[in-house]
Amino acid sequence: MAYWFCLKHHTVEGTEGCPNKDRLGPYETEAEAARALEKAAERTEAWEHDPAWNDDVEPSGDAESGD
């Protein structure tokens, strides 16, 4: 069985629930679905500090030199 976290109701749902546009998932367990917002925040934090995903970080090398 699969579980989703409903962003509208802040509850864990099974297959029958709110439309997918209002849910995160699917997750294998209810416990994983219950942690969906926490997991999303952890991923966002990691991406914000990952140079490969950070648009504010200048690429290495001197692109203007034409070398």
Side-chain angles (χ1 to χ4, degrees):
M1 179 164 186
Y3 300 91
W4 286 261
F5 182 82
C6 177
L7 297 168
K8 188 173 182 181
H9 300 107
H10 287 247
T11 58
V12 174
E13 301 178 339
T15 302
E16 299 295 322
C18 290
N20 285 341
K21 69 179 182 71
D22 295 326
R23 308 194 297 181
L24 297 175
Y27 298 93
E28 291 184 17
T29 67
E30 285 184 70
E32 287 176 315
R35 255 192 100 238
L37 290 180
E38 184 179 343
K39 186 67 172 179
E42 290 170 0
R43 288 178 176 160
T44 298
E45 181 71 19
W47 288 335
E48 286 177 353
H49 294 94
D50 183 344
W53 289 97
N54 190 340
D55 293 338
D56 296 333
V57 175
E58 292 294 322
S60 60
D62 186 357
E64 293 183 28
S65 70
D67 292 334

